[in-house]
Amino acid sequence: MKKVGKKRKHAETIPEPKKELVAEERPKRTLLGWKDKPVVNENEAVAPTFRNKEKVLITSSRRINYRYRHLMLNLVSLLPHCKKDSKVESKATKGATLNELVELRSCSSCLFFECRKHKDLYLWMTKSPSGPSIKFLVNAVHTMEELKLTGNHLNGSRPLLSFTTNFDKDAHWKLIKEMITQIFGTPKDHRKQKPYYDHVFVFSIVDGHIWFRNYQISCPHTGADKIDRGGLEKMTLIEVGPRFCLNPIKIFGGSFGGPTLYENPLYISPNQIRALEKKKKSGKFAQKVKAKTRRRMHEMSNPLEQDEFADMWKD
């Protein structure tokens, strides 16, 4: 028999761990091409970037008119970063109720449409919970359904905000401009917005009132959806709607109240206007009664002479 030699024991070898193959992160793609990832130095402190998380709560009071309700729904369709809530009772305690609703819905601003006497519409534009807040009287309301204009822009797209130079004259107009910019400007990375600018909100001051218009930006393009060379010069604006006019009444330091920062000296309430019209109509009636009385007194003081031929044919 052959002797079988013993095998030498080899030193135990520890297998090296396999390296995981990770694909390199793809650079970000933009309209102008591929964008390289910026090189970040680990030693340098990175400043936190600001992210706009603006959300607007839109609600109304009870017993609102159908026309004003349609205006509110038009604004809801124009602002993709808004949240709509149920109606709130218009009482003295509406401020505390609305501030609580804004906090529950995780919003930072509020547009509250308050209707009184089924005729007058007031708009509260508020930053919650610390303020400030602005109270407007809404006039010259025309909804999208009523106007039936030819303009049509993408639902949920971001608007351009256009202001006239009058907003930079006085301090209260600057505050109103900043409030409108924060509330009507759609945040860049909001989940419901579309990254396109195809319409513009125009705010212009005429006779102390803010007039709102919404226009579609129309560009001539070919069948391949490419703008022709020189097509930007042929860009036109087509009105979409709605239309309304804001008359500022007061600016408060808090949310739905607080110290008065500004009061419009030229503001006249709708109740006073209706009272003056009623008084004017009653004045016309009083003039008619006085004229009849004067005529009667004149006839009594100047009687007609008796006609000698009046009784000729009685026999």
Side-chain angles (χ1 to χ4, degrees), residues 166-181 205 251:
N166 305 356
F167 279 96
D168 297 327
K169 288 185 177 180
D170 299 325
H172 64 279
W173 289 122
K174 291 181 181 178
L175 177 60
I176 293 173
K177 178 182 177 181
E178 184 62 28
M179 290 275 291
I180 292 174
T181 305
I205 299 176
I251 301 177

Side-chain angles (χ1 to χ4, degrees), residues 306-315:
Q306 189 174 4
D307 189 5
E308 56 182 1
F309 299 108
D311 300 331
M312 180 183 294
W313 306 103
K314 282 188 177 180
D315 299 336

Side-chain angles (χ1 to χ4, degrees), residues 6-72:
K6 295 181 179 179
K7 292 182 180 180
R8 293 180 182 178
K9 293 182 179 181
H10 297 283
E12 296 181 358
T13 57
I14 301 173
E16 296 181 359
K18 294 182 179 179
K19 295 181 180 179
E20 295 182 0
L21 299 176
V22 180
E24 294 183 0
E25 189 176 353
R26 220 173 159 187
K28 188 177 180 181
R29 186 174 185 179
T30 61
L31 295 175
L32 301 176
W34 297 96
K35 185 177 179 181
D36 296 332
K37 190 175 181 181
V39 180
V40 180
N41 191 358
E42 296 180 356
N43 298 328
E44 296 180 359
V46 180
T49 57
F50 171 74
R51 186 181 177 188
N52 188 2
K53 296 183 179 180
E54 183 75 24
K55 294 178 184 176
V56 184
L57 178 70
I58 298 181
T59 184
S60 66
S61 63
R62 295 190 182 277
R63 294 173 294 276
I64 191 172
N65 194 357
Y66 73 95
R67 194 173 188 182
Y68 300 149
R69 180 168 51 84
H70 290 174
L71 173 66
M72 183 186 70

Side-chain angles (χ1 to χ4, degrees), residues 173-237:
W173 289 122
K174 291 181 181 178
L175 177 60
I176 293 173
K177 178 182 177 181
E178 184 62 28
M179 290 275 291
I180 292 174
T181 305
Q182 293 186 16
I183 292 177
F184 285 86
T186 305
K188 181 181 178 182
D189 297 325
H190 195 270
R191 60 187 180 87
K192 289 186 179 180
Q193 62 91 18
K194 298 178 178 64
Y196 308 107
Y197 290 101
D198 63 346
H199 64 289
V200 54
F201 291 161
V202 180
F203 298 91
S204 54
I205 299 176
V206 181
D207 297 333
H209 295 63
I210 302 174
W211 296 81
F212 173 83
R213 294 292 184 271
N214 178 25
Y215 296 99
Q216 176 200 354
I217 303 173
S218 177
C219 289
H221 58 83
T222 60
D225 290 339
K226 290 184 179 180
I227 299 176
D228 297 332
R229 183 172 295 179
L232 295 178
E233 298 177 358
K234 302 177 183 178
M235 186 182 298
T236 57
L237 297 178

